[in-house]
Amino acid sequence: METQSFVQKIKSYITGSITRSLLVLLICVLIVVNLGILLWQDRFVNSSIEGRTNERITEIANGIEYATEILTVDNLPRLRRMMQNFSASQDINMIAIFDHSGKAIAISDIQFKDKHYAEIFDVEQANLIDTLYKSTLFTPEIVSLFRDENHIESRIILRELSGPLIGPAGTKGVVFVSFNMYRYQQEKMEFTNYTLLFFFLNLLVIGAIIHYLLKNQLYVPINALLDACQESVKTGNFVLPKRLPKNEIGQLANAYHWSMEKLQESKAELDLANEKMQATFRSVQDAIITIDTNGIVLSANQAVLPMFGFYPEELIGQNVSAIMPEPHRSAHDDYMKMYKLTRTRKTIGKSRKLEGRKRSGEIFPVMLKVTAGNANDQPFFTGVIQDLTELVNVEQKLAENQALFETAINASVVGFAIQDQEGYFIEVNPSLPRRVGYKKEELLGMHVCDVLVEEHRPAMKKTLEDLRTGKTKESREPRLFLHKAGKHIWGLMSCSIVRSPDNKKSFIVTYVVDIDKEIELTERLEKRNEELQKSNEDLHQFAYIASHDLKSPLNAIGSIVGWIEEDCGDILPETSKNHFEILKNRCDRMKRLLNDLLSYSRISKLDFTDQTFQLGTLAKDIFDILDNSNKFTLDAEEYELTLPRIPFEIVLRNLLSNAIRHHHKDTGHINVKCQKDHKNYVISVIDDGPGIPPELHEKAMEMFQTLKPRDEVEGSGMGLAIISKILAHFGGSLVIHSDGKNGTEMRIIWPVHWKSIMSQKNNNSNGDSDVEDIDS
């Protein structure tokens, strides 16, 4: 209603100011335009139509007058023809020339020829002619307007004439010209019609302009403003119309818009505050219920549904005792009666632990706090109810866990202690006092350093200081404890600091694990490792000495055999020569075996750095210096490798040598290929020899194993064993692919990241950087 009244005021204000101004302006414009049109019309008619008419009459009169002055009686027929020509025009009613006696000597209407003008014209016209005849003063012409019986206006011009045709000298005649005004009246009427049409069109244009102005400046803005106001009443949101004139309407609309914006801002703030309050009221987990002095529920939030099983709408209008079990229900009814009589507040403003009752009848613990309020002089009470079921369950669970924890700590064989931040025991389990030979009462209050040997106390004090300052959060170190009886006990001591929530207090929690046996086993293991290392060194030294000392008699035997062949070669039988040859071969084999044994023992000490080289170039260099290689062909693809070159060269040399030595023909072909994945280099040495049967693949890589008799193929039988051990040392492997018929592929798998593998094995050691070539 207030908005509609405001709209009516707007309409009245606009009607009283702008409308009157526009109407006054419209009237002034119409008056000025119409006066201008009328003045212009009169001036135009007088100056244009009548002027042209007079000019035409004068032109005819002048022509006749001139003719009478120059013509004689003899030329009278000519004058008559001229007059007939003039009268042929529809604008001419009659032309006549009267002589000095008033007789028509020449007239356009031949029936009036030689008649007196009094016989021709009516009295009025005849009097005008008399005036000219009788005047003594010079009167050049008389112009008059007449109407005939047909009501056709005619303009008459009478002019004095003189000349030979008129009569004797000194006399005068009259020329009579009657000009028909019908055509000019028609023209005037048409012009008047056009003027009226223009006048009405002018009114229409002015009306359209005024309508446009009124529509755009008054009606459209008013309607837009009224629509916006009505919309604001419905939605509460006022939208300023897009186009408003810069007049009182626009100013009023802007003022209204500003007022509505302020109103909307205030309403938005109020709505936001209300929404926050409602959201808080709805989202709070505690049940909030308001009741009157009779205990009837006035309102309830959504929390009553999960807490009591009632929807808020179901509780409103009921007595609040519906959610109370006995005896709280009766006590509440008695309290409400007492309050109505005495207005005594016994429990208002206090929190109390009570019991609530669900719709299902289940009883559960609650915390209730009641506050009093007043609205419109009507008192009411607000109760905030908190469900304590989970809290009670948690408390029970905590009590159970505490009991279990204490039981577990007390029954544990691991020593447990709680110290203050200075390191004094404030709580210990039974295991720790037993471990150090004290009673629990004796240990409480003692400092942790009091149960440690003297040499471990400084480190313990440093650990406590680091825990207090936050430098470390926990410590785990083996400590040597001092038993009350004086003996020493090893324990793994784990300490961590625990701070209170307010960060004002801190405690140190300590666990002590008995590691006496572990320490003893560790010492024994270290002693065994030292013994094993010494044994390995002795074995390596033995292998070196044995190979060196055994080489001397073998060299001597070989030399003696050579001397005997030189001295007695001519007399020795062929059988003895064969025996000497076998003896030399056996000596060479023994030397080779000793070299291979020495090389095999040194493999674990290999330690080389990466080198980048081309596989094809290295394979061809090795192939060129091998025995009998000139009878074989080699294809080796160029592939860049980054590996320890010397161990790889030993592996590749032995594989190429084996491919030539174990070939069943004097000629053959060897192919060396390589490919790489993200983990390994895979190098293949492929020959077209007899192959290795699948059942002998594993045996071929064992020590002292040959697939042919040693007398057929000289070798120690350790070539593939050495290769396998070298590859295993660098984290790789050797794989044999052969069906025993169609050649053999010896596949080397060498890790790209061999260094990380060796470091994981912790197997790096210094050793010889060179290993002699071994023939298999």
Side-chain angles (χ1 to χ4, degrees), residues 3-4 6-7 10 219-244 249-250 252-261 263-264:
T3 305
Q4 293 178 355
F6 182 71
V7 171
I10 293 174
Y219 300 118
V220 172
I222 289 176
N223 291 332
L225 187 57
L226 291 176
D227 292 341
C229 293
Q230 292 176 358
E231 187 67 22
S232 67
V233 173
K234 296 178 181 178
T235 63
N237 184 24
F238 180 77
V239 180
L240 190 67
K242 295 182 179 180
R243 294 182 180 180
L244 286 175
I249 298 177
L252 189 61
N254 290 326
Y256 183 77
H257 182 251
W258 180 83
S259 301
M260 290 299 295
E261 283 184 346
L263 181 62
Q264 290 299 324

Side-chain angles (χ1 to χ4, degrees), residues 316-433:
I316 294 174
Q318 292 193 44
N319 195 290
V320 72
S321 60
I323 58 175
M324 296 180 180
E326 292 291 352
H328 303 295
R329 177 183 299 182
S330 300
H332 179 266
D333 292 340
D334 294 339
Y335 174 75
M336 296 304 296
K337 292 177 182 178
M338 184 63 65
Y339 175 79
K340 292 176 69 175
L341 293 175
T342 64
R343 298 293 177 178
T344 303
R345 300 181 179 182
K346 293 184 178 180
T347 60
I348 293 176
K350 300 177 182 179
S351 297
R352 295 184 298 157
K353 286 187 177 181
L354 301 172
E355 289 180 333
R357 180 179 180 274
K358 294 181 180 290
R359 168 180 276 185
S360 60
E362 178 186 351
I363 309 299
F364 63 99
V366 297
M367 179 72 73
L368 172 64
K369 184 175 183 180
V370 180
T371 58
N374 194 291
N376 297 327
D377 296 330
Q378 294 294 327
F380 66 92
F381 303 95
T382 301
V384 180
I385 307 171
Q386 182 181 6
D387 189 351
L388 299 181
T389 302
E390 186 175 353
L391 180 61
V392 171
N393 293 336
V394 170
E395 290 177 349
Q396 293 177 354
K397 192 67 175 177
L398 286 176
E400 294 174 1
N401 291 339
Q402 181 68 21
L404 291 174
F405 178 74
E406 292 178 355
T407 301
I409 291 295
N410 293 329
S412 174
V413 296
V414 177
F416 173 80
I418 299 178
Q419 305 156 242
D420 61 15
Q421 59 182 358
E422 300 298 328
Y424 291 94
F425 292 112
I426 58 178
E427 185 62 49
V428 294
N429 71 338
S431 178
L432 184 60

Side-chain angles (χ1 to χ4, degrees), residues 24 51 189 347 560 640 647 684 756:
V24 170
M189 187 178 295
T347 60
I560 293 173
E640 185 177 87
S684 299
S756 61

